Structures are given as structure tokens and as C-alpha cells.
mmCIF file of all heavy atoms in Angstrom:
data_model
loop_
_atom_site.group_PDB
_atom_site.id
_atom_site.type_symbol
_atom_site.label_atom_id
_atom_site.label_comp_id
_atom_site.label_asym_id
_atom_site.label_seq_id
_atom_site.Cartn_x
_atom_site.Cartn_y
_atom_site.Cartn_z
ATOM 1 N N SER Q 1 -3.043 6.586 12.735
ATOM 2 C CA SER Q 1 -3.927 6.553 13.910
ATOM 3 C C SER Q 1 -4.566 5.184 14.139
ATOM 4 O O SER Q 1 -5.301 5.008 15.092
ATOM 5 C CB SER Q 1 -5.041 7.580 13.722
ATOM 6 O OG SER Q 1 -5.868 7.216 12.622
ATOM 7 N N ASN Q 2 -4.317 4.206 13.283
ATOM 8 C CA ASN Q 2 -4.993 2.920 13.407
ATOM 9 C C ASN Q 2 -4.273 2.027 14.433
ATOM 10 O O ASN Q 2 -3.170 1.575 14.193
ATOM 11 C CB ASN Q 2 -5.035 2.231 12.046
ATOM 12 C CG ASN Q 2 -5.958 1.024 12.066
ATOM 13 O OD1 ASN Q 2 -6.138 0.378 13.094
ATOM 14 N ND2 ASN Q 2 -6.538 0.714 10.935
ATOM 15 N N PRO Q 3 -4.911 1.781 15.604
ATOM 16 C CA PRO Q 3 -4.241 1.024 16.653
ATOM 17 C C PRO Q 3 -4.096 -0.466 16.347
ATOM 18 O O PRO Q 3 -3.378 -1.169 17.031
ATOM 19 C CB PRO Q 3 -5.165 1.223 17.864
ATOM 20 C CG PRO Q 3 -6.501 1.485 17.281
ATOM 21 C CD PRO Q 3 -6.244 2.203 15.969
ATOM 22 N N GLN Q 4 -4.779 -0.994 15.324
ATOM 23 C CA GLN Q 4 -4.714 -2.411 14.999
ATOM 24 C C GLN Q 4 -3.398 -2.784 14.303
ATOM 25 O O GLN Q 4 -3.046 -3.932 14.199
ATOM 26 C CB GLN Q 4 -5.856 -2.809 14.066
ATOM 27 C CG GLN Q 4 -7.218 -2.597 14.682
ATOM 28 C CD GLN Q 4 -8.317 -2.858 13.672
ATOM 29 O OE1 GLN Q 4 -8.079 -3.339 12.579
ATOM 30 N NE2 GLN Q 4 -9.527 -2.549 14.048
ATOM 31 N N LEU Q 5 -2.674 -1.789 13.812
ATOM 32 C CA LEU Q 5 -1.471 -2.083 13.048
ATOM 33 C C LEU Q 5 -0.256 -2.123 13.947
ATOM 34 O O LEU Q 5 -0.084 -1.306 14.824
ATOM 35 C CB LEU Q 5 -1.259 -0.993 11.972
ATOM 36 C CG LEU Q 5 -2.356 -0.896 10.929
ATOM 37 C CD1 LEU Q 5 -2.053 0.269 9.985
ATOM 38 C CD2 LEU Q 5 -2.493 -2.178 10.157
ATOM 39 N N SER Q 6 0.581 -3.113 13.704
ATOM 40 C CA SER Q 6 1.846 -3.209 14.435
ATOM 41 C C SER Q 6 2.784 -2.107 13.918
ATOM 42 O O SER Q 6 2.883 -1.898 12.722
ATOM 43 C CB SER Q 6 2.445 -4.590 14.185
ATOM 44 O OG SER Q 6 3.748 -4.644 14.688
ATOM 45 N N PRO Q 7 3.492 -1.416 14.807
ATOM 46 C CA PRO Q 7 4.299 -0.281 14.352
ATOM 47 C C PRO Q 7 5.532 -0.661 13.543
ATOM 48 O O PRO Q 7 6.176 0.193 12.978
ATOM 49 C CB PRO Q 7 4.703 0.380 15.676
ATOM 50 C CG PRO Q 7 4.600 -0.691 16.688
ATOM 51 C CD PRO Q 7 3.502 -1.601 16.227
ATOM 52 N N ASN Q 8 5.898 -1.953 13.490
ATOM 53 C CA ASN Q 8 7.092 -2.318 12.736
ATOM 54 C C ASN Q 8 6.772 -3.023 11.413
ATOM 55 O O ASN Q 8 7.617 -3.644 10.832
ATOM 56 C CB ASN Q 8 8.002 -3.210 13.588
ATOM 57 C CG ASN Q 8 7.341 -4.520 13.975
ATOM 58 O OD1 ASN Q 8 6.126 -4.666 13.878
ATOM 59 N ND2 ASN Q 8 8.138 -5.459 14.427
ATOM 60 N N ARG Q 9 5.525 -2.934 10.957
ATOM 61 C CA ARG Q 9 5.141 -3.591 9.711
ATOM 62 C C ARG Q 9 4.747 -2.505 8.704
ATOM 63 O O ARG Q 9 3.622 -2.018 8.720
ATOM 64 C CB ARG Q 9 3.987 -4.555 9.938
ATOM 65 C CG ARG Q 9 4.381 -5.694 10.869
ATOM 66 C CD ARG Q 9 3.228 -6.585 11.197
ATOM 67 N NE ARG Q 9 2.801 -7.288 9.999
ATOM 68 C CZ ARG Q 9 1.702 -8.007 9.903
ATOM 69 N NH1 ARG Q 9 0.881 -8.078 10.925
ATOM 70 N NH2 ARG Q 9 1.375 -8.637 8.804
ATOM 71 N N PHE Q 10 5.713 -2.123 7.871
ATOM 72 C CA PHE Q 10 5.473 -1.052 6.906
ATOM 73 C C PHE Q 10 5.941 -1.456 5.518
ATOM 74 O O PHE Q 10 6.812 -2.309 5.357
ATOM 75 C CB PHE Q 10 6.203 0.224 7.317
ATOM 76 C CG PHE Q 10 5.656 0.859 8.569
ATOM 77 C CD1 PHE Q 10 6.198 0.567 9.801
ATOM 78 C CD2 PHE Q 10 4.586 1.735 8.505
ATOM 79 C CE1 PHE Q 10 5.693 1.138 10.955
ATOM 80 C CE2 PHE Q 10 4.095 2.325 9.646
ATOM 81 C CZ PHE Q 10 4.624 2.029 10.869
ATOM 82 N N LEU Q 11 5.370 -0.784 4.531
ATOM 83 C CA LEU Q 11 5.752 -0.931 3.128
ATOM 84 C C LEU Q 11 6.077 0.420 2.571
ATOM 85 O O LEU Q 11 5.570 1.432 3.035
ATOM 86 C CB LEU Q 11 4.569 -1.472 2.296
ATOM 87 C CG LEU Q 11 4.003 -2.818 2.623
ATOM 88 C CD1 LEU Q 11 2.762 -3.050 1.766
ATOM 89 C CD2 LEU Q 11 5.024 -3.906 2.380
ATOM 90 N N GLN Q 12 6.878 0.422 1.512
ATOM 91 C CA GLN Q 12 6.999 1.605 0.682
ATOM 92 C C GLN Q 12 7.266 1.122 -0.740
ATOM 93 O O GLN Q 12 7.601 -0.021 -0.953
ATOM 94 C CB GLN Q 12 8.072 2.560 1.195
ATOM 95 C CG GLN Q 12 9.477 2.056 1.111
ATOM 96 C CD GLN Q 12 10.453 3.086 1.689
ATOM 97 O OE1 GLN Q 12 10.095 3.893 2.519
ATOM 98 N NE2 GLN Q 12 11.689 3.021 1.272
ATOM 99 N N SER Q 13 7.096 2.040 -1.692
ATOM 100 C CA SER Q 13 7.313 1.636 -3.079
ATOM 101 C C SER Q 13 8.783 1.288 -3.299
ATOM 102 O O SER Q 13 9.644 1.727 -2.541
ATOM 103 C CB SER Q 13 6.875 2.751 -4.031
ATOM 104 O OG SER Q 13 7.608 3.925 -3.805
ATOM 105 N N GLN Q 14 9.050 0.455 -4.315
ATOM 106 C CA GLN Q 14 10.428 0.074 -4.616
ATOM 107 C C GLN Q 14 11.284 1.337 -4.758
ATOM 108 O O GLN Q 14 10.832 2.366 -5.253
ATOM 109 C CB GLN Q 14 10.477 -0.725 -5.932
ATOM 110 C CG GLN Q 14 9.818 -2.076 -5.833
ATOM 111 C CD GLN Q 14 10.658 -3.099 -5.095
ATOM 112 O OE1 GLN Q 14 11.777 -2.832 -4.646
ATOM 113 N NE2 GLN Q 14 10.130 -4.287 -4.946
ATOM 114 N N ALA Q 15 12.539 1.257 -4.344
ATOM 115 C CA ALA Q 15 13.427 2.416 -4.309
ATOM 116 C C ALA Q 15 13.608 3.090 -5.660
ATOM 117 O O ALA Q 15 13.736 4.301 -5.744
ATOM 118 C CB ALA Q 15 14.784 2.011 -3.736
ATOM 119 N N ASP Q 16 13.581 2.304 -6.736
ATOM 120 C CA ASP Q 16 13.813 2.871 -8.074
ATOM 121 C C ASP Q 16 12.512 3.382 -8.709
ATOM 122 O O ASP Q 16 12.528 3.867 -9.834
ATOM 123 C CB ASP Q 16 14.468 1.834 -8.984
ATOM 124 C CG ASP Q 16 13.641 0.571 -9.162
ATOM 125 O OD1 ASP Q 16 12.661 0.381 -8.407
ATOM 126 O OD2 ASP Q 16 13.987 -0.222 -10.041
ATOM 127 N N ARG Q 17 11.423 3.299 -8.003
ATOM 128 C CA ARG Q 17 10.124 3.686 -8.563
ATOM 129 C C ARG Q 17 9.830 5.161 -8.235
ATOM 130 O O ARG Q 17 9.937 5.588 -7.103
ATOM 131 C CB ARG Q 17 9.036 2.785 -7.984
ATOM 132 C CG ARG Q 17 7.704 2.981 -8.638
ATOM 133 C CD ARG Q 17 6.709 1.985 -8.110
ATOM 134 N NE ARG Q 17 5.449 2.233 -8.773
ATOM 135 C CZ ARG Q 17 4.806 1.346 -9.521
ATOM 136 N NH1 ARG Q 17 5.298 0.149 -9.663
ATOM 137 N NH2 ARG Q 17 3.681 1.665 -10.086
ATOM 138 N N THR Q 18 9.423 5.918 -9.258
ATOM 139 C CA THR Q 18 9.103 7.336 -9.068
ATOM 140 C C THR Q 18 7.603 7.614 -9.231
ATOM 141 O O THR Q 18 7.155 8.675 -8.846
ATOM 142 C CB THR Q 18 9.899 8.226 -10.039
ATOM 143 O OG1 THR Q 18 9.609 7.805 -11.359
ATOM 144 C CG2 THR Q 18 11.385 8.132 -9.768
ATOM 145 N N ASP Q 19 6.873 6.660 -9.792
ATOM 146 C CA ASP Q 19 5.436 6.851 -9.974
ATOM 147 C C ASP Q 19 4.688 6.147 -8.850
ATOM 148 O O ASP Q 19 5.186 5.216 -8.229
ATOM 149 C CB ASP Q 19 4.971 6.346 -11.343
ATOM 150 C CG ASP Q 19 5.332 4.879 -11.579
ATOM 151 O OD1 ASP Q 19 6.432 4.459 -11.156
ATOM 152 O OD2 ASP Q 19 4.521 4.158 -12.160
ATOM 153 N N PRO Q 20 3.482 6.618 -8.507
ATOM 154 C CA PRO Q 20 2.700 6.021 -7.424
ATOM 155 C C PRO Q 20 2.344 4.540 -7.712
ATOM 156 O O PRO Q 20 2.177 4.144 -8.845
ATOM 157 C CB PRO Q 20 1.428 6.869 -7.393
ATOM 158 C CG PRO Q 20 1.808 8.149 -8.028
ATOM 159 C CD PRO Q 20 2.810 7.795 -9.067
ATOM 160 N N VAL Q 21 2.231 3.768 -6.644
ATOM 161 C CA VAL Q 21 1.840 2.341 -6.719
ATOM 162 C C VAL Q 21 0.322 2.260 -6.558
ATOM 163 O O VAL Q 21 -0.198 2.738 -5.555
ATOM 164 C CB VAL Q 21 2.542 1.541 -5.622
ATOM 165 C CG1 VAL Q 21 2.055 0.079 -5.618
ATOM 166 C CG2 VAL Q 21 4.042 1.595 -5.763
ATOM 167 N N PRO Q 22 -0.396 1.661 -7.514
ATOM 168 C CA PRO Q 22 -1.834 1.577 -7.375
ATOM 169 C C PRO Q 22 -2.272 0.672 -6.225
ATOM 170 O O PRO Q 22 -1.645 -0.346 -5.953
ATOM 171 C CB PRO Q 22 -2.311 0.993 -8.714
ATOM 172 C CG PRO Q 22 -1.103 0.542 -9.442
ATOM 173 C CD PRO Q 22 0.100 1.078 -8.744
ATOM 174 N N VAL Q 23 -3.324 1.086 -5.536
ATOM 175 C CA VAL Q 23 -3.936 0.306 -4.448
ATOM 176 C C VAL Q 23 -5.308 -0.155 -4.955
ATOM 177 O O VAL Q 23 -6.139 0.634 -5.338
ATOM 178 C CB VAL Q 23 -4.113 1.158 -3.175
ATOM 179 C CG1 VAL Q 23 -4.782 0.340 -2.069
ATOM 180 C CG2 VAL Q 23 -2.772 1.710 -2.698
ATOM 181 N N TYR Q 24 -5.490 -1.484 -4.978
ATOM 182 C CA TYR Q 24 -6.685 -2.090 -5.556
ATOM 183 C C TYR Q 24 -7.679 -2.517 -4.463
ATOM 184 O O TYR Q 24 -7.281 -2.858 -3.363
ATOM 185 C CB TYR Q 24 -6.317 -3.339 -6.368
ATOM 186 C CG TYR Q 24 -5.407 -3.048 -7.534
ATOM 187 C CD1 TYR Q 24 -4.030 -3.098 -7.418
ATOM 188 C CD2 TYR Q 24 -5.931 -2.727 -8.780
ATOM 189 C CE1 TYR Q 24 -3.200 -2.855 -8.492
ATOM 190 C CE2 TYR Q 24 -5.125 -2.463 -9.861
ATOM 191 C CZ TYR Q 24 -3.751 -2.521 -9.722
ATOM 192 O OH TYR Q 24 -2.940 -2.268 -10.790
ATOM 193 N N ARG Q 25 -8.944 -2.552 -4.821
ATOM 194 C CA ARG Q 25 -9.994 -3.017 -3.903
ATOM 195 C C ARG Q 25 -9.827 -4.505 -3.626
ATOM 196 O O ARG Q 25 -10.038 -4.984 -2.516
ATOM 197 C CB ARG Q 25 -11.383 -2.751 -4.486
ATOM 198 C CG ARG Q 25 -12.510 -3.254 -3.569
ATOM 199 C CD ARG Q 25 -13.881 -2.987 -4.128
ATOM 200 N NE ARG Q 25 -14.166 -1.589 -4.253
ATOM 201 C CZ ARG Q 25 -14.611 -0.801 -3.286
ATOM 202 N NH1 ARG Q 25 -14.826 -1.296 -2.087
ATOM 203 N NH2 ARG Q 25 -14.838 0.475 -3.493
ATOM 204 N N GLU Q 26 -9.469 -5.287 -4.656
ATOM 205 C CA GLU Q 26 -9.303 -6.733 -4.523
ATOM 206 C C GLU Q 26 -7.958 -7.153 -5.062
ATOM 207 O O GLU Q 26 -7.250 -6.356 -5.665
ATOM 208 C CB GLU Q 26 -10.428 -7.451 -5.280
ATOM 209 C CG GLU Q 26 -11.819 -7.096 -4.764
ATOM 210 C CD GLU Q 26 -12.930 -7.648 -5.641
ATOM 211 O OE1 GLU Q 26 -12.807 -8.819 -6.035
ATOM 212 O OE2 GLU Q 26 -13.864 -6.909 -5.935
ATOM 213 N N GLN Q 27 -7.615 -8.424 -4.896
ATOM 214 C CA GLN Q 27 -6.303 -8.933 -5.288
ATOM 215 C C GLN Q 27 -6.238 -9.344 -6.753
ATOM 216 O O GLN Q 27 -5.782 -10.432 -7.089
ATOM 217 C CB GLN Q 27 -5.929 -10.120 -4.413
ATOM 218 C CG GLN Q 27 -5.782 -9.762 -2.956
ATOM 219 C CD GLN Q 27 -5.706 -10.983 -2.106
ATOM 220 O OE1 GLN Q 27 -6.655 -11.756 -2.039
ATOM 221 N NE2 GLN Q 27 -4.593 -11.194 -1.421
ATOM 222 N N VAL Q 28 -6.679 -8.469 -7.641
ATOM 223 C CA VAL Q 28 -6.607 -8.702 -9.081
ATOM 224 C C VAL Q 28 -6.288 -7.390 -9.776
ATOM 225 O O VAL Q 28 -6.742 -6.322 -9.333
ATOM 226 C CB VAL Q 28 -7.898 -9.312 -9.669
ATOM 227 C CG1 VAL Q 28 -8.091 -10.747 -9.200
ATOM 228 C CG2 VAL Q 28 -9.111 -8.493 -9.277
ATOM 229 N N ASP Q 29 -5.550 -7.450 -10.884
ATOM 230 C CA ASP Q 29 -5.149 -6.259 -11.616
ATOM 231 C C ASP Q 29 -6.310 -5.450 -12.159
ATOM 232 O O ASP Q 29 -6.215 -4.259 -12.344
ATOM 233 C CB ASP Q 29 -4.252 -6.624 -12.782
ATOM 234 C CG ASP Q 29 -2.896 -7.167 -12.335
ATOM 235 O OD1 ASP Q 29 -2.485 -6.878 -11.203
ATOM 236 O OD2 ASP Q 29 -2.264 -7.876 -13.132
ATOM 237 N N PHE Q 30 -7.416 -6.112 -12.456
ATOM 238 C CA PHE Q 30 -8.554 -5.420 -13.081
ATOM 239 C C PHE Q 30 -9.569 -4.924 -12.050
ATOM 240 O O PHE Q 30 -10.611 -4.414 -12.393
ATOM 241 C CB PHE Q 30 -9.252 -6.320 -14.124
ATOM 242 C CG PHE Q 30 -9.663 -7.651 -13.591
ATOM 243 C CD1 PHE Q 30 -10.870 -7.814 -12.939
ATOM 244 C CD2 PHE Q 30 -8.852 -8.758 -13.765
ATOM 245 C CE1 PHE Q 30 -11.249 -9.049 -12.451
ATOM 246 C CE2 PHE Q 30 -9.234 -9.993 -13.283
ATOM 247 C CZ PHE Q 30 -10.434 -10.129 -12.616
ATOM 248 N N SER Q 31 -9.220 -5.028 -10.767
ATOM 249 C CA SER Q 31 -10.091 -4.516 -9.695
ATOM 250 C C SER Q 31 -10.072 -3.003 -9.689
ATOM 251 O O SER Q 31 -9.177 -2.355 -10.227
ATOM 252 C CB SER Q 31 -9.585 -5.043 -8.348
ATOM 253 O OG SER Q 31 -10.334 -4.502 -7.294
ATOM 254 N N GLN Q 32 -11.079 -2.419 -9.034
ATOM 255 C CA GLN Q 32 -11.166 -0.957 -8.898
ATOM 256 C C GLN Q 32 -9.947 -0.439 -8.154
ATOM 257 O O GLN Q 32 -9.518 -1.016 -7.162
ATOM 258 C CB GLN Q 32 -12.432 -0.593 -8.124
ATOM 259 C CG GLN Q 32 -12.556 0.884 -7.853
ATOM 260 C CD GLN Q 32 -13.734 1.228 -6.960
ATOM 261 O OE1 GLN Q 32 -14.451 0.351 -6.511
ATOM 262 N NE2 GLN Q 32 -13.923 2.494 -6.689
ATOM 263 N N ILE Q 33 -9.363 0.651 -8.634
ATOM 264 C CA ILE Q 33 -8.238 1.292 -7.972
ATOM 265 C C ILE Q 33 -8.779 2.287 -6.938
ATOM 266 O O ILE Q 33 -9.560 3.172 -7.290
ATOM 267 C CB ILE Q 33 -7.302 1.967 -8.982
ATOM 268 C CG1 ILE Q 33 -6.664 0.904 -9.873
ATOM 269 C CG2 ILE Q 33 -6.226 2.780 -8.251
ATOM 270 C CD1 ILE Q 33 -5.757 1.454 -10.959
ATOM 271 N N LEU Q 34 -8.377 2.096 -5.689
ATOM 272 C CA LEU Q 34 -8.866 2.936 -4.586
ATOM 273 C C LEU Q 34 -8.006 4.164 -4.360
ATOM 274 O O LEU Q 34 -8.451 5.146 -3.779
ATOM 275 C CB LEU Q 34 -8.907 2.132 -3.288
ATOM 276 C CG LEU Q 34 -9.754 0.872 -3.289
ATOM 277 C CD1 LEU Q 34 -9.600 0.136 -1.973
ATOM 278 C CD2 LEU Q 34 -11.221 1.253 -3.525
ATOM 279 N N GLY Q 35 -6.754 4.076 -4.771
ATOM 280 C CA GLY Q 35 -5.814 5.158 -4.532
ATOM 281 C C GLY Q 35 -4.435 4.681 -4.936
ATOM 282 O O GLY Q 35 -4.300 3.770 -5.741
ATOM 283 N N SER Q 36 -3.420 5.287 -4.355
ATOM 284 C CA SER Q 36 -2.055 4.879 -4.685
ATOM 285 C C SER Q 36 -1.125 5.204 -3.522
ATOM 286 O O SER Q 36 -1.438 6.041 -2.677
ATOM 287 C CB SER Q 36 -1.577 5.580 -5.956
ATOM 288 O OG SER Q 36 -1.694 6.969 -5.836
ATOM 289 N N LEU Q 37 0.004 4.511 -3.510
ATOM 290 C CA LEU Q 37 1.045 4.764 -2.505
ATOM 291 C C LEU Q 37 2.005 5.787 -3.086
ATOM 292 O O LEU Q 37 2.522 5.611 -4.188
ATOM 293 C CB LEU Q 37 1.806 3.495 -2.157
ATOM 294 C CG LEU Q 37 1.018 2.284 -1.678
ATOM 295 C CD1 LEU Q 37 1.957 1.186 -1.224
ATOM 296 C CD2 LEU Q 37 0.069 2.664 -0.558
ATOM 297 N N VAL Q 38 2.244 6.850 -2.367
ATOM 298 C CA VAL Q 38 3.128 7.909 -2.811
ATOM 299 C C VAL Q 38 4.567 7.494 -2.557
ATOM 300 O O VAL Q 38 4.906 7.088 -1.442
ATOM 301 C CB VAL Q 38 2.800 9.234 -2.047
ATOM 302 C CG1 VAL Q 38 3.750 10.339 -2.468
ATOM 303 C CG2 VAL Q 38 1.357 9.627 -2.291
ATOM 304 N N PRO Q 39 5.437 7.565 -3.588
ATOM 305 C CA PRO Q 39 6.846 7.206 -3.370
ATOM 306 C C PRO Q 39 7.467 8.043 -2.247
ATOM 307 O O PRO Q 39 7.183 9.229 -2.109
ATOM 308 C CB PRO Q 39 7.503 7.529 -4.720
ATOM 309 C CG PRO Q 39 6.385 7.421 -5.705
ATOM 310 C CD PRO Q 39 5.169 7.929 -4.972
ATOM 311 N N GLY Q 40 8.267 7.371 -1.416
ATOM 312 C CA GLY Q 40 8.941 8.055 -0.312
ATOM 313 C C GLY Q 40 8.209 7.977 1.020
ATOM 314 O O GLY Q 40 8.794 8.296 2.037
ATOM 315 N N TYR Q 41 6.945 7.566 1.018
ATOM 316 C CA TYR Q 41 6.182 7.430 2.247
ATOM 317 C C TYR Q 41 6.132 5.950 2.673
ATOM 318 O O TYR Q 41 6.141 5.075 1.827
ATOM 319 C CB TYR Q 41 4.744 7.927 2.096
ATOM 320 C CG TYR Q 41 4.611 9.412 2.079
ATOM 321 C CD1 TYR Q 41 4.705 10.142 0.899
ATOM 322 C CD2 TYR Q 41 4.382 10.115 3.264
ATOM 323 C CE1 TYR Q 41 4.586 11.523 0.897
ATOM 324 C CE2 TYR Q 41 4.265 11.502 3.264
ATOM 325 C CZ TYR Q 41 4.363 12.188 2.077
ATOM 326 O OH TYR Q 41 4.225 13.543 2.069
ATOM 327 N N LYS Q 42 6.066 5.730 3.986
ATOM 328 C CA LYS Q 42 5.882 4.374 4.511
ATOM 329 C C LYS Q 42 4.411 4.191 4.847
ATOM 330 O O LYS Q 42 3.770 5.087 5.398
ATOM 331 C CB LYS Q 42 6.715 4.152 5.761
ATOM 332 C CG LYS Q 42 8.195 4.206 5.519
ATOM 333 C CD LYS Q 42 9.015 3.682 6.673
ATOM 334 C CE LYS Q 42 8.688 4.233 8.027
ATOM 335 N NZ LYS Q 42 9.620 3.798 9.073
ATOM 336 N N TYR Q 43 3.880 3.014 4.528
ATOM 337 C CA TYR Q 43 2.477 2.690 4.780
ATOM 338 C C TYR Q 43 2.394 1.436 5.635
ATOM 339 O O TYR Q 43 3.078 0.453 5.355
ATOM 340 C CB TYR Q 43 1.752 2.438 3.466
ATOM 341 C CG TYR Q 43 1.613 3.666 2.624
ATOM 342 C CD1 TYR Q 43 2.635 4.083 1.787
ATOM 343 C CD2 TYR Q 43 0.468 4.443 2.682
ATOM 344 C CE1 TYR Q 43 2.516 5.237 1.033
ATOM 345 C CE2 TYR Q 43 0.334 5.590 1.918
ATOM 346 C CZ TYR Q 43 1.374 5.992 1.096
ATOM 347 O OH TYR Q 43 1.250 7.128 0.355
ATOM 348 N N PRO Q 44 1.558 1.424 6.674
ATOM 349 C CA PRO Q 44 1.389 0.205 7.486
ATOM 350 C C PRO Q 44 0.648 -0.852 6.693
ATOM 351 O O PRO Q 44 -0.192 -0.527 5.845
ATOM 352 C CB PRO Q 44 0.531 0.707 8.662
ATOM 353 C CG PRO Q 44 -0.201 1.876 8.128
ATOM 354 C CD PRO Q 44 0.704 2.517 7.115
ATOM 355 N N TYR Q 45 0.980 -2.114 6.927
ATOM 356 C CA TYR Q 45 0.226 -3.179 6.269
ATOM 357 C C TYR Q 45 -0.271 -4.191 7.284
ATOM 358 O O TYR Q 45 0.308 -4.386 8.345
ATOM 359 C CB TYR Q 45 1.032 -3.846 5.157
ATOM 360 C CG TYR Q 45 2.146 -4.761 5.585
ATOM 361 C CD1 TYR Q 45 1.920 -6.126 5.772
ATOM 362 C CD2 TYR Q 45 3.426 -4.269 5.790
ATOM 363 C CE1 TYR Q 45 2.953 -6.962 6.146
ATOM 364 C CE2 TYR Q 45 4.456 -5.092 6.174
ATOM 365 C CZ TYR Q 45 4.217 -6.438 6.345
ATOM 366 O OH TYR Q 45 5.226 -7.280 6.742
ATOM 367 N N TYR Q 46 -1.406 -4.809 6.933
ATOM 368 C CA TYR Q 46 -2.072 -5.788 7.808
ATOM 369 C C TYR Q 46 -1.539 -7.187 7.580
ATOM 370 O O TYR Q 46 -1.292 -7.914 8.542
ATOM 371 C CB TYR Q 46 -3.576 -5.810 7.527
ATOM 372 C CG TYR Q 46 -4.303 -4.528 7.804
ATOM 373 C CD1 TYR Q 46 -4.518 -3.614 6.787
ATOM 374 C CD2 TYR Q 46 -4.763 -4.227 9.069
ATOM 375 C CE1 TYR Q 46 -5.208 -2.444 7.022
ATOM 376 C CE2 TYR Q 46 -5.455 -3.056 9.328
ATOM 377 C CZ TYR Q 46 -5.678 -2.164 8.295
ATOM 378 O OH TYR Q 46 -6.345 -0.997 8.526
ATOM 379 N N LEU Q 47 -1.402 -7.606 6.340
ATOM 380 C CA LEU Q 47 -0.965 -8.959 6.063
ATOM 381 C C LEU Q 47 -0.464 -9.076 4.635
ATOM 382 O O LEU Q 47 -0.706 -8.214 3.811
ATOM 383 C CB LEU Q 47 -2.117 -9.952 6.295
ATOM 384 C CG LEU Q 47 -3.376 -9.826 5.431
ATOM 385 C CD1 LEU Q 47 -3.333 -10.807 4.293
ATOM 386 C CD2 LEU Q 47 -4.620 -10.092 6.284
#
């Protein structure tokens, strides 16, 4: 539902990955984990 995202800019987890990809608050491994990307789903990205 987010109109700011371009409809052709999507990500998904690597094809060989079966576990969720962690989503961090900041660009560091030790940052708080906000959630995860579910394998098989496409997610819009900003940059």
C-alpha cells in the first residue's frame, strides 16, 4: 500500500535460503532486529 515505492524495485531472500532474513533497525549486525523477510515473498525496497 505504500505509494512512495516504485513497483519494479523488489527484493527477496536468496533462492537457496530457507530461513528468514533478519531486518535490522540500522546498518550494523548488532542493531535491533525489527523483523524478517519470509522466503518466497517479494519486498519493496527504497534504496
Side-chain angles (χ1 to χ4, degrees):
S1 66
N2 191 330
Q4 298 174 9
L5 298 177
S6 171
N8 63 344
R9 297 176 67 190
F10 292 94
L11 299 174
Q12 67 182 25
S13 61
Q14 292 284 359
D16 60 348
R17 189 176 179 120
T18 57
D19 56 322
V21 175
V23 179
Y24 298 91
R25 179 180 296 276
E26 300 172 44
Q27 296 168 297
V28 290
D29 293 337
F30 55 84
S31 176
Q32 176 187 2
I33 295 177
L34 301 175
S36 56
L37 304 187
V38 178
Y41 284 89
K42 294 193 310 186
Y43 292 84
Y45 73 92
Y46 298 95
L47 63 98

